[in-house]
Amino acid sequence: MRILYDASRLMSRADRSAPTGVDRVCLAYAEWLLASPNVTTIPVRGRKNRLVTVDPDWFRRFVVDLRAKWNGAAGAAGDRSHEARLLTALTAPNRPTASVLGAPPAPVQARPADKARVFKQFFRSRHAAPLPDADLYLNVGHTTLQDPTALQDLQAAGIARVVLIHDLIPVTHPEFCRPGDGDKHRDRVVNTLRHASQVIVNSAYTGEELQAFARRENLPQPPIHVAHLGLEPAFAAGDAVAAPRPYFVHVGTIEARKNLALLLTLWRRLEERLGDRTPSLVLVGRYGWENEAVLDHLQRSPNLQGVVHQASNLSDAVLARLMRGARAVLAPSSVEGYDLPAVEACAMGLHLIASDIPPHRELTPGAELIDPLDGLGWLDAIERASTADASAPPACAAPAYTAPDWTAHFAIVAGAVGLGAASPLASAAKAL
């Protein structure tokens, strides 16, 4: 089996010491394919709306190095120093005088070009050579899809096209995204529906949104398969950060749809009531877009100083320990396609307070679900969790909850592309 794996997004993340949810999926697929003994993985990337091959030996080393970096084995010194300051603040017996915050996002025009990433993307690939013969093209990162040329070329060559769609949020909720992202993502979705052989979605909700979009736009619907995403090994039972004062954690990019402005407004109310007894809040994630309200709270609110902290680029090991020590993981998003951190929290048996939206009802049934507009309901839940017996078992620890895993995910993918239960890919999935 010869598979063209679109590594465009993964290669663009070469400089990052911590992944987003989509980045995790891209890496998991790369590892799965490379571990399959009877599969030839041919890494490719997009260049001028066409696909070019990437040096396979270099790509294999790149995947190993990226896994080590994201696991925390090769973190930058600056990241480690930031982790240490955050843990010191959380474990201090008294409220710190100042918050631990990462550097604010630089203006786009002031950001320097990343020469290392450019090198990896453009000089580890063959610019003009035709693609080798292959059976299947696999794209799980949304890249290369905004123009139909690559998919059309593959279709003309008789190569099956399998695409994973993570969400339709830029199309259905463009107000939460950067200007122009809605049109760009709409093009990706349209091209996928017109030219993909099979589509994988990460949740039933995403599948329903994709089908509804196809009906509205009178577009064809290739077979759509729901495959819940697996979790990294770090997000299992293990040790926790031991803090003398209660704290809560939110994990995710700091952007408007995460509803963090509401969360910070609630924390200000808590601080007005409790003063130095206010529980801490840690926002773990990179700065995204439409985040001005969050930045104003973090940088300018005196009530939140020493109480609310922000961190990015945490290793998986530190992040998992941080989540395990929290009174609850908070997920107040207005809209999600999957919400991997919420699923990770339930997999670790943690108390999860989440917005009452379709993906959370589907994926985290043991969570305490509250309408994302119900500020008083959220305030009550946080106060109850901060004063509850920390040793009491949370709802997500219920025996009925079974966390999704990559074995089941890749078995669905193998079946979707006609590989069968005894195929090399399905066997590799079972071995993970």
Side-chain angles (χ1 to χ4, degrees), residues 286-355:
R286 300 171 65 93
Y287 288 107
W289 41 92
E290 302 295 334
N291 54 31
E292 289 80 4
V294 173
L295 286 170
D296 286 344
H297 278 89
L298 293 176
Q299 297 174 350
R300 298 166 56 188
S301 174
N303 299 77
L304 302 185
Q305 293 304 304
V307 172
V308 178
H309 308 281
Q310 181 271 330
S312 58
N313 298 331
L314 299 184
S315 67
D316 283 355
V318 170
L319 176 57
R321 289 186 61 232
L322 190 67
M323 293 171 68
R324 294 189 201 106
R327 288 298 178 93
V329 174
L330 307 178
S333 297
S334 299
V335 60
E336 290 284 355
Y338 189 80
D339 201 352
L340 192 56
V343 178
E344 291 164 347
C346 277
M348 291 189 284
L350 308 179
H351 186 183
L352 173 67
I353 307 174
S355 54

